[in-house]
C-alpha cells in the first residue's frame, strides 16, 4: 500500500512538471500574428554604427532564448525533484537497516533485547523505500541526461571540438 502511494506521489510530481511545461510548447507552436509592414521594427542594414566594432551581433531570436530558458527550468525542476526523492529513498532505506543491524549486533553480544518492533519496522520500510529509490532513480537519470544535452544547445554558446582526422589533429571552432 505504501509502495503504491510512493509511486503515485512520484507520478504526480512528474505529471505536475509536465503540465508546467505545456504553455511554452503552445506558445512556440502558434503562428506569429501578421502585422503590417509599417508596424514592424525594420532597421536598414547599411547604416554605419549599428554594429559596434569588436562585438558580434546577437543573431539568436528572442523566442528561441525564451523557449530554451523555459525548457531549462523544467529540466532543472525535474532533475532536482527526482534526485531528492532518490536521496530520500536511499536515506530511508539505510536507517531501518542500520536499526536492524544494531539490534542484531547487540543480540550477538549476548544482550537480552526485544527487537520485534525494530524488525517489524525494518521489514516494512526497507522494501517500500527500496522501491521508491529505484522508481526515482530512473527519471533522475533521464532528466539529468536531458539537462546535459540541453545545456549543449544553449543559444550563443561557442562550441569547440578537438579530434583526430586523416591528416592529424583537428580543432574545430
Amino acid at each position: 500500500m505504501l509502495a503504491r502511494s510512493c509511486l503515485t506521489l512520484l507520478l504526480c510530481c512528474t505529471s505536475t512538471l509536465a503540465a508546467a511545461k505545456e504553455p511554452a510548447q503552445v506558445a512556440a507552436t502558434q503562428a506569429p500574428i501578421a502585422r503590417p509592414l509599417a508596424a514592424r521594427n525594420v532597421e536598414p542594414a547599411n547604416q554605419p554604427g549599428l554594429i559596434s566594432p569588436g562585438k558580434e551581433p546577437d543573431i539568436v531570436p528572442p523566442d528561441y532564448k525564451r523557449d530554451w530558458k523555459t525548457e531549462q527550468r523544467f529540466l532543472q525542476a525535474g532533475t532536482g525533484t527526482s534526485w531528492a526523492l532518490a536521496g530520500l529513498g536511499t536515506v530511508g532505506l539505510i536507517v531501518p537497516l542500520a536499526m536492524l543491524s544494531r539490534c542484531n549486533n547487540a543480540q550477538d553480544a549476548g544482550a537480552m533485547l526485544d527487537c520485534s518492533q525494530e524488525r517489524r519496522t525494518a521489514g516494512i520500510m526497507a522494501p517500500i523505500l527500496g522501491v521508491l529509490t529505484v522508481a526515482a532513480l530512473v527519471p533522475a537519470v533521464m532528466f539529468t541526461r536531458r539537462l546535459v544535452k540541453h545545456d549543449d544547445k544553449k543559444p550563443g554558446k561557442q562550441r569547440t571540438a578537438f579530434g583526430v582526422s586523416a591528416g592529424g589533429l583537428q580543432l574545430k571552432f
Side-chain angles (χ1 to χ4, degrees):
M1 178 76 176
L2 188 56
R4 189 177 351 165
S5 299
C6 292
L7 291 174
T8 303
L9 176 67
L10 182 64
L11 181 63
C12 178
C13 290
T14 307
S15 299
T16 304
L17 291 172
K21 181 181 173 187
E22 288 177 13
Q25 289 177 343
V26 171
T29 59
Q30 291 177 347
I33 300 171
R35 292 183 289 173
L37 185 58
R40 294 182 187 165
N41 293 331
V42 179
E43 296 177 7
N46 295 329
Q47 280 188 351
L50 287 179
I51 299 175
S52 59
K55 183 179 178 187
E56 292 183 23
D58 188 15
I59 59 172
V60 179
D63 292 342
Y64 182 76
K65 287 181 181 178
R66 185 187 66 236
D67 292 344
W68 187 89
K69 286 180 183 178
T70 303
E71 180 76 12
Q72 177 81 2
R73 283 192 302 269
F74 168 74
L75 291 173
Q76 286 174 341
T79 302
T81 303
S82 299
W83 281 113
L85 287 174
L88 180 68
T90 302
V91 169
L93 179 64
I94 291 172
V95 169
L97 294 177
M99 287 182 353
L100 188 60
S101 174
R102 188 195 65 173
C103 190
N104 287 340
N105 290 341
Q107 284 184 346
D108 289 344
M112 296 297 292
L113 294 173
D114 180 25
C115 293
S116 61
Q117 185 63 33
E118 284 84 0
R119 290 185 197 283
R120 187 176 306 123
T121 302
I124 294 171
M125 294 302 292
I128 292 170
L129 292 171
V131 168
L132 173 68
T133 303
V134 171
L137 279 175
V138 172
V141 170
M142 290 172 61
F143 272 118
T144 302
R145 183 175 178 271
R146 284 179 57 195
L147 183 61
V148 168
K149 289 185 104 178
H150 183 72
D151 283 342
D152 290 340
K153 297 176 187 174
K154 184 174 185 174
K157 180 178 180 183
Q158 291 186 357
R159 293 167 185 83
T160 58
F162 182 74
V164 179
S165 67
L169 298 177
Q170 183 179 24
L171 181 63
K172 293 180 185 179
F173 291 100

